[in-house]
Amino acid sequence: MATGTARVPVPGSDKKAVAGAQSTGLVPDDERIDVTVRIRPRTAIQSLAQGSVQADALPSQRSYLSREEYSASHGADPADIAKVEAFAKAHGLSVVEANVERRSVVLSGDAKSMSAAFGVALHAMEHEGGTYRGRTGSISVPADLADVVVGVFGLDDRPQADPHFQHKALARAFTPRAGSASFTPPALARLYSFPTGLDGSGECIGIIELGGGFRPADIKAYFGGLGLPVPAVKAVLIDGAHNHPTNANGADGEVMLDIEVAAAVAPKAKIAVYFAPNTNQGFLDAITHAVHDKVNKPSVISISWGSAESNWTAQAMTQFDQAFQAAAAMGVTVCCAAGDNGSGDGVGDGAAHVDFPASSPFALGCGGTRLTATAGKITAEVVWNEGTDSSTGGGVSTTFARPAYQANAHVPAAPNKFVGRGVPDVAGDADPASGYEVRVDGQNMVIGGTSAVAPLWAGLIALMNQKIGKPVGFLNPLIYGQLAGKGLFNDITVGNNGAYNAAAGWDACTGWGSPNGAKLLKALGG
């Protein structure tokens, strides 16, 4: 393949430096870099998602693709992979992996070769938050690859996402009682009327983690204390990441919260934890591995990491969204935390922002409430809002157009008047003041955040999948369509998250509200 001189920018690849970051010079020519090149699908993802999922049908009436069928019909064309491999050879890059179903080719090489291959200058960057290898402007490829390459990830390795959890305080012991200010996950499952007599047997819950780790001794102690069987938890390592627990103040809190909440709701479900570096490359690779995992076969995926849409490139958001569309086609539900910094989502510019990947129209966005209960009954549930930096995310996307399923949800226009996707879709207890009793690095503590809501919903979905005998899959068209107004949710009508107020029906704080699990299962045909 001739290298040629005609080059074309990769759409949506334009990137800016982190605010306040300064270059200390180009990275060394011999610095080793791995990149993930995403390739176009054989069949347009849009038609795949709309045509194969039968989105407005109940699970029993849906026809899903198996992972093998998806790969055969809608993965990358081997001819396209061959073109990328020839491009790599022409630029002195090695092919680490080529994967048809994930539409990915992983290339490795030195910084000098990578810069020449993709038309970028790679700088060592410093800012108050640390250092990273960065680029600005667009990535480009030879003109004959312009229609083949739809994304290039890994040239820039800045941290991409934040975990959406918040500590309350250390607790000496779990003492659940009437009127308790914190809850074990099984207690919340009872309050939300999760279906009984189910344990997630035969299901797999995938969990995406971008740091931290878990200790088997903690899992054993936690579930022993709850009187539940110790779940089967498997670490799946992506892009050189590891299950690397450190201390309770770091990302371990996110990892253990996710595992313990999901598995306490569905203790016989397999838990597959996909560990990846906290970069856009690592995050995307973890998601595509989970969606297309033919070994563990998760039927639901929980994601508790994210950041404001303004922190992402368009190519990244497009490729994440396409991965979620592929998940929908295969009957895999993707639950995403909506954020913990109110309607501003931590940007700090005074404007409203929504969190991604929760804002993908193919994600089940999970917002947060503050819950009060007495004698095993919910006595009050309001929008979680303890201030700007301790409040549920939610709002309207400025990237994704309003999906057809939200046509009648009265979603307001985005701040820039864009007719966008409303977030979240559903909610659950998230306020640290009414948080989750968990165990992290040998310590019992209470943690909140919308990070807890995503695995809570993932656990519920695993139970429903077990009962129905078929994945519920892409729920959004159903809960906005034929199931809307059926009393399947605890409608949250009090509170706000800054720019948006709770209201009857759907709102941009808590979506449709928190679940009544038994009623939802029955409505879905279980």
Side-chain angles (χ1 to χ4, degrees), residues 386-408:
E386 300 294 338
T388 302
D389 293 322
S390 185
S391 175
T392 183
V396 184
S397 175
T398 59
T399 298
F400 297 101
R402 186 169 304 157
Y405 61 73
Q406 286 191 324
N408 299 316

Side-chain angles (χ1 to χ4, degrees), residues 52-65 328-329 331-333 470-479 482-483 524:
S52 299
V53 176
Q54 301 156 353
D56 57 350
L58 292 174
S60 62
Q61 301 165 328
R62 289 181 173 181
S63 176
Y64 296 124
L65 297 175
V332 180
T333 313
K470 193 172 185 179
V472 300
F474 184 34
L475 274 176
N476 298 25
L478 287 169
I479 63 176
Q482 63 174 293
L483 302 186
L524 289 169

Side-chain angles (χ1 to χ4, degrees), residues 288-475:
T288 59
H289 273 84
V291 169
H292 297 284
D293 188 345
K294 297 176 183 176
V295 176
N296 299 296
K297 300 180 180 178
S299 61
V300 57
I301 296 170
S302 177
I303 302 175
S304 294
W305 298 71
S307 67
E309 286 184 334
S310 57
N311 294 331
W312 296 80
T313 60
Q315 68 163 358
M317 287 191 280
T318 298
Q319 294 310 308
F320 275 60
D321 184 59
Q322 289 188 5
F324 294 165
Q325 292 183 47
M330 293 181 282
V332 180
T333 313
V334 181
C335 304
C336 294
D340 294 351
N341 299 99
S343 58
D345 204 35
V347 176
D349 62 358
H353 297 267
V354 291
D355 207 76
F356 183 81
S359 65
S360 162
F362 287 85
L364 184 71
C366 300
T369 70
R370 179 172 182 171
L371 183 71
T372 305
T374 303
K377 301 290 184 182
I378 297 174
T379 54
E381 193 167 15
V382 301
V383 176
W384 166 39
N385 188 345
E386 300 294 338
T388 302
D389 293 322
S390 185
S391 175
T392 183
V396 184
S397 175
T398 59
T399 298
F400 297 101
R402 186 169 304 157
Y405 61 73
Q406 286 191 324
N408 299 316
H410 307 293
V411 178
N416 65 353
K417 308 304 180 184
F418 181 66
V419 181
R421 144 93 156 136
V423 182
D425 304 297
V426 296
D429 181 36
D431 192 330
S434 61
Y436 295 66
E437 297 172 359
V438 295
R439 184 179 180 87
V440 184
D441 295 320
Q443 301 180 67
N444 294 334
M445 55 182 55
V446 175
I447 296 181
T450 55
S451 275
V453 187
L456 184 74
W457 268 91
L460 171 59
I461 288 166
L463 298 181
M464 296 195 294
N465 289 348
Q466 177 192 1
K467 177 63 175 179
I468 295 172
K470 193 172 185 179
V472 300
F474 184 34
L475 274 176

Side-chain angles (χ1 to χ4, degrees), residues 230-250:
V230 178
V233 182
K234 178 181 180 180
V236 183
L237 308 181
I238 309 298
D239 294 352
H242 297 280
N243 171 25
H244 186 226
T246 55
N247 61 72
N249 294 319

